[in-house]
Every structure is written in structure tokens, then in C-alpha cells.
């Protein structure tokens, strides 16, 4: 019969479970021992990443390692129960103290707390939390949408609604918005100069008072009844058949006469000149045709180009967006530009009294007997500015055709009349995309006019700056601004006048922080560059997506006819507008 001999058993002197440290065989003396329950599965035999003295996390919980007490942990359905006694060695534990110590938060902004429940402050525990989404579904309905992460909010769209992240990466989408050039750049054109707006903002030149060269046309008196219009007593905008001319520089017969006499070095209209003087504020693309003949420069616009239209919310943080060409929308940049130009023209036709007339020195040079419609109230003043610096042998002078739209009679018959320019700001839909955060004019224009004006100065900084500069160039004492809105936000053919404000051009320019000295410095710099070039035709164009203007040398027959480059309005759409 086989005999069985019981091996010797070494009891611990302290009575604890496990082998005695004094009776451990030499080959197992340095191997640590960790107590475990027989029902617990072994997760790993050794962890070589453990540092001595680290916090326990593995064979037992941190509470077991520190307190050495009995811990019962339940992992829920399908989980396991772990029981352990005694003190566990740190050899099998994992510590993430160093991981936490090496972690640092870069963004120290206080995040918004996650809202659970439909904003009611109560936790939703109904079926909607499982079938329809998370707690953001209102009262736990089956069609709730999951709460959007990182600033998003929940929107219910019936059964199976999805998360909508409003405001998520809006800035990135706006900054990546691309626009097309106002004129397609031909690869054969040679780029001669590139000027960024930061350089232009540092230029300065202060000319003396201008010299009067002549005045043409006739003006009607401004109707003071328009100053009494309020939001509660608005006035419909009327469509009137009048003719107003916006002839380019080289086609102006008066400028041709002045050029024949070598009156100036540069010839330009107030629209083009103010555009260049305020160029650092521009966002949309534009272009100017510069022609040098001997020692004379002509600054011209293209027919149907950006200079024939008025932009809307060009400087807004979120300007109007383009839509697919297949979709017809009235709130695209091109459609809004056509609408704003239409409103501005007919407001100036309507806001005058045609029974009171002031004739300038000479008749309108553009109106002929063949025109069947009566001319609009418009006076042209040709003025000469001296841009010479120091004691130059050949000074630089610029002849400008300026324009005013009305006059206000003097206080007495002997007092000279006050010249007036008429402009309009229009509202399309305060809730539509591209409105720029503008308040509703019908409710805020009378009570909070300052807020309305401040918003317009922010969203239309370039347009308002041009208007202020044009009025100063023309020598107008007053600028009347009409506030016009749609009769219905969804109808861009009917409009009403809500109010009319009067401002002094110089004060208005100061409010807009417009520097005329900087504008004249820009004009002189561009003139110096062009005067060093040989005779020919050049194109000054603003980059559609960068704050840069570039000067190209183009063939002499460019832009002479109605080619594909004509007819482009701000926003890249084609079209035209009738007066």
C-alpha cells in the first residue's frame, strides 16, 4: 500500500493567512504575494509599468490597498463580485498619478453646464431616453433627439429626430467662404504691383481746399415732410420715371474739355474716388480701369460693374450667402444689391418737391432733347484738388466730378441754399441669414435709433464711409438718410419709408472713424505708381478673398465692348437695374 506523508506546515506567528516570511524557500523569497479570492479570475500575472509607492488599481480597489479592509464590489448585471482581505502588494497595481500630474488643460474657459431634460430642471427617465434619444427630448417622448455636444442644442423633428448643432464651427465656415473675382484674370496679363490694406492704412496726405471748375444740372428742393415720417406714420416708396446719369470718367464731355486744357493730372468721378479712399474697408471684389495717355490718368468703371450698385451688409460678421443657381432667392448678395440700388434711386426721386427748382450755372451735360422722361434732381460740381507734396516741379492735381441730389432753401432770400445728398439704408428681413443681428426697425427705430444706427455702421462700414466721403467731396452741408424696409419680408417689390435722418457729412465721417488724409494718401500713392508706367491700359482689382489690391497691365482693347466681364454685380451675379 502506498503511503502518504503530510509535508511540514509553517504557521505564521501573527496568525494571518499565507506563508511565513521566515519559512519562505530561498528561490521564492523575493516574489511578492497578493491575497485573492478563489472565485476571482486572475487578470494578469505581472505589471512591469508599476512604480513603487504608486496608488493601487488592479487586483483590488484603492480603498483596499489603503485601508486593507473587506470590500464588496458589484459590477451590476453580468458583473462579478470581488472579495479580498489583507494588504495587497503594489507589484500588481497600476498607478496613474504620473499621468494626471503630466496632464494640463490648455483651454481655461469655463464650459457651459450640460443641460439635461428639456430645460425644466427635471431628469427624464421615461421611455424616450432609450427609444428616442437622451434627456434633451423634452418630456422623454419617443421622437426626441439626442442632446448635441459642445454647445449644440436639441431640436425635435418627430420620430427619430437627429441632433442639430447650431453655431458649431460657424466661424470656420465663414472664413472659408470664397468669392469670385469681379473680372476673370487672363493668364496673359502681367501683374505689376500688389498693395495690401495694412500698407494703405498708414498713408497720409492733407490737400488744401478745392477749386471750383463749374456746376451743371438742376436741383429740386428737399421735401421736409419726409422728416416727419415715423414707424407709426410710414410712407410707401413710390416708383417714379426719372432719368439719372452715371457716366464713366472718360465719356464725360466736361472732363474731356478739361483734359484738352490740361487742367489736371488725374480725372475721376466721386464714386470711384470715394471707393479708393475707403478701399481698406471693402470686402467684396471690385475693379477700376486706369488709362494713361501721355501724363494724364483716367480712372474709369465698367458698365454694369460693382460701381453701379449698392451693397448690403458687406461688412457684417455673417454677410448674405449665395445659394444654388437653380434656386431663386431674394436674399442673396446680388438680389439685395439690385434691391438696394432700386430703393436708393426712387427715394431720391420722391423726397424732393419739383415745384421748387434751383438751376446750376450750366445745364445738365448728359440730358438731351431725345430723352422722353424728365431728368432727376441732380447737380454736378466739378472740383479741382491739389495733391502736390512740398515744392514739386510738376504737381499732381485731380479733377473730380461730384454730385448732389437736392437743396434746402436758405433762411432768407439772400442766404445761399444748402446742398443735400440723399441716401437710403434698407432692411430686408431681420430674421433672415445675413441680417447681421440688426433689430427690427418697425419696433426699434423710434425707441432705439442709436442701436439701429450702430448696427448699420458695423454691417455697412464701407458703404457709409463712401457716402460720407462723397458728400464731403461735393461740398454738401447735409446728408439725408432714409430708412426703408419691405412691406412684407417675403416681397422685395414693395417698400415703405419708416424714417429720415439728417447728418452733417464731416460729423458722420468722424463717427465712422474715416480719415480723409489717409484716403488722399492712397490716391497719391496709386497715382505715383501709375505715372511711372508707360502709356497704356491697366486694371486695378481687389482680390475677392484677401485684403489686397493688384495692378495688372491689360491689352488696350480690353473692356471696350459688352464682353463677358461686364454685367457683374456684387456677389458674383449678373444683372442690371433700371432707374
Amino acid at each position: 500500500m502506498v503511503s502518504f506523508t503530510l509535508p511540514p506546515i509553517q504557521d505564521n506567528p501573527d496568525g494571518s493567512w499565507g506563508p511565513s516570511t521566515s519559512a519562505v524557500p530561498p528561490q521564492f523569497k523575493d516574489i511578492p504575494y497578493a491575497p485573492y479570492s478563489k472565485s476571482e479570475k486572475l487578470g494578469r500575472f505581472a505589471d512591469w509599468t508599476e512604480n513603487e509607492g504608486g496608488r493601487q488599481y488592479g487586483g483590488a480597489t484603492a480603498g483596499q490597498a489603503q485601508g486593507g479592509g473587506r470590500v464588496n464590489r458589484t459590477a451590476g448585471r453580468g458583473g462579478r463580485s470581488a472579495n479580498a482581505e489583507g494588504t495587497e502588494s503594489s507589484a500588481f497595481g497600476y498607478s496613474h498619478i504620473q499621468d494626471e500630474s503630466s496632464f494640463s488643460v490648455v483651454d481655461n474657459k469655463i464650459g457651459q453646464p450640460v443641460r439635461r431634460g428639456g430645460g425644466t430642471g427635471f431628469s427624464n427617465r421615461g421611455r424616450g431616453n432609450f427609444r428616442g434619444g437622451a434627456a434633451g427630448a423634452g418630456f422623454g417622448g419617443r421622437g426626441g433627439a439626442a442632446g448635441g455636444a459642445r454647445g449644440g442644442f436639441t431640436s425635435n423633428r418627430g420620430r427619430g429626430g437627429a441632433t442639430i448643432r447650431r453655431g458649431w464651427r460657424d466661424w470656420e465656415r465663414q472664413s472659408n467662404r470664397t468669392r469670385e473675382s469681379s473680372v476673370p484674370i487672363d493668364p496673359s496679363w502681367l501683374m505689376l504691383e500688389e498693395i495690401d490694406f495694412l500698407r494703405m492704412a498708414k498713408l497720409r496726405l492733407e490737400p488744401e481746399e478745392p477749386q471750383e471748375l463749374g456746376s451743371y444740372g438742376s436741383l429740386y428742393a428737399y421735401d421736409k415732410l419726409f422728416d416727419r415720417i415715423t414707424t407709426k406714420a410710414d410712407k410707401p416708396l413710390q416708383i417714379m420715371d426719372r432719368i439719372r446719369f452715371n457716366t464713366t470718367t472718360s465719356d464725360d464731355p466736361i472732363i474731356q474739355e478739361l483734359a484738352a486744357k490740361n487742367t489736371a493730372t488725374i480725372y475721376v468721378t466721386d464714386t470711384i474716388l470715394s471707393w479708393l479712399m475707403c478701399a481698406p474697408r471693402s470686402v467684396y471684389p471690385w475693379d477700376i480701369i486706369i488709362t494713361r495717355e501721355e501724363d494724364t490718368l483716367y480712372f474709369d468703371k465698367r458698365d454694369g460693374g460693382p460701381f453701379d450698385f449698392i451693397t448690403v451688409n458687406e461688412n457684417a460678421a455673417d454677410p448674405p450667402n449665395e445659394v444654388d443657381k437653380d434656386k431663386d432667392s431674394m436674399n442673396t448678395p446680388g438680389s439685395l444689391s439690385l434691391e438696394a440700388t432700386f430703393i436708393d434711386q426712387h427715394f431720391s426721386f420722391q423726397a424732393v418737391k419739383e415745384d421748387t427748382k434751383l438751376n446750376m450755372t450750366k445745364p445738365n451735360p448728359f440730358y438731351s432733347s431725345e430723352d422722353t422722361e424728365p431728368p432727376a434732381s441732380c447737380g454736378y460740381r466739378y472740383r479741382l484738388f491739389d495733391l502736390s507734396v512740398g515744392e514739386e516741379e510738376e504737381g499732381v492735381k485731380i479733377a473730380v466730378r461730384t454730385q448732389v441730389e437736392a437743396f434746402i432753401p436758405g433762411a432768407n432770400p439772400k442766404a445761399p441754399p444748402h446742398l443735400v445728398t440723399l441716401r437710403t439704408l434698407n432692411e430686408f428681413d431681420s430674421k433672415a441669414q445675413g441680417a447681421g443681428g440688426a433689430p427690427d426697425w418697425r419696433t426699434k427705430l423710434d425707441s432705439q435709433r442709436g442701436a439701429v444706427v450702430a448696427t448699420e455702421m458695423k454691417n455697412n462700414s464701407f458703404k457709409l464711409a463712401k457716402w460720407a466721403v462723397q458728400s464731403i467731396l461735393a461740398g454738401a452741408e447735409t446728408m439725408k438718410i432714409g430708412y426703408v424696409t419691405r412691406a412684407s419680408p417675403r416681397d422685395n417689390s414693395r417698400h415703405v419709408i419708416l424714417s429720415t435722418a439728417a447728418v452733417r457729412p464731416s460729423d458722420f465721417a468722424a463717427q465712422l472713424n474715416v480719415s480723409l488724409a489717409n484716403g488722399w494718401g492712397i490716391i497719391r500713392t496709386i497715382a505715383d505708381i501709375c505715372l511711372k508706367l508707360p502709356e497704356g491700359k491697366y486694371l486695378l482689382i481687389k482680390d475677392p478673398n484677401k485684403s489686397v489690391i493688384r495692378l495688372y497691365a491689360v491689352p488696350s482693347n480690353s473692356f471696350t465692348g459688352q464682353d463677358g466681364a461686364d454685367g457683374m454685380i456684387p456677389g458674383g451675379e449678373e444683372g442690371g437695374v433700371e432707374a
Side-chain angles (χ1 to χ4, degrees), residues 476-553:
E477 289 84 0
T478 307
M479 180 170 62
K480 297 285 185 177
I481 301 178
Y483 293 86
V484 182
T485 185
R486 292 176 181 174
S488 173
R490 298 185 179 181
D491 185 4
N492 62 349
S493 61
R494 296 184 301 111
H495 302 84
V496 293
I497 305 171
L498 300 179
S499 179
T500 304
V503 294
R504 294 184 59 184
S506 56
D507 295 343
F508 193 52
Q511 292 179 4
L512 291 166
N513 198 23
V514 176
S515 173
L516 290 178
N518 173 242
W520 288 119
I522 294 173
I523 299 300
R524 178 59 197 263
T525 301
I526 296 175
D528 290 343
I529 294 174
C530 296
L531 288 173
K532 295 178 182 179
L533 301 174
E535 294 187 19
K537 183 176 288 187
Y538 304 92
L539 181 70
L540 184 67
I541 186 169
K542 193 262 179 189
D543 188 281
N545 302 302
K546 298 179 181 179
S547 299
V548 172
I549 59 174
R550 299 184 178 94
L551 183 65
Y552 291 89

Side-chain angles (χ1 to χ4, degrees), residues 23 121 139 160 202 258 279 305 319 329 390 445 450 467 482 508 557 560:
F139 290 97
K202 300 177 181 179
L258 296 175
S329 176
L445 191 56
W467 290 350
F508 193 52
N557 58 352
T560 54

Side-chain angles (χ1 to χ4, degrees), residues 271-400:
T271 304
I272 301 174
L273 183 61
S274 62
W275 204 295
L276 279 176
M277 294 177 71
C278 304
R281 297 173 181 250
S282 63
V283 177
Y284 290 155
W286 47 265
D287 58 276
I288 298 174
I289 302 171
I290 302 176
T291 305
R292 179 177 180 183
E293 296 180 359
E294 296 181 353
D295 293 333
T296 304
L297 296 177
Y298 297 91
F299 289 73
D300 287 295
K301 67 176 182 65
R302 291 184 297 106
D303 290 338
F307 290 86
D308 292 335
F309 301 92
I310 299 174
T311 60
V312 177
N313 289 355
E314 177 178 354
N315 300 98
D318 184 18
N321 263 338
E322 289 291 347
V323 297
D324 296 338
K325 294 183 178 180
D326 297 337
K327 298 180 180 179
D328 184 17
S329 176
M330 64 180 69
N331 293 333
T332 61
S335 300
L336 292 174
S337 181
L338 288 170
E339 181 182 357
T341 306
F342 174 84
I343 293 172
D344 185 79
Q345 289 184 354
H346 290 280
F347 175 82
S348 61
F349 298 162
Q350 184 180 353
V352 294
K353 298 187 298 182
E354 296 186 352
D355 55 350
T356 306
K357 187 176 181 180
L358 174 65
N359 291 320
M360 310 296 279
T361 306
K362 298 180 180 180
N364 192 324
F366 310 108
Y367 188 79
S368 64
S369 58
E370 298 178 357
D371 296 320
T372 57
E373 297 176 352
S377 175
C378 186
Y380 302 98
R381 304 182 70 189
Y382 293 83
R383 314 184 84 188
L384 184 66
F385 294 85
D386 190 355
L387 304 184
S388 302
V389 178
E391 297 180 358
E392 293 181 330
E393 295 181 0
E394 296 182 0
V396 177
K397 296 183 179 180
I398 179 170
V400 186

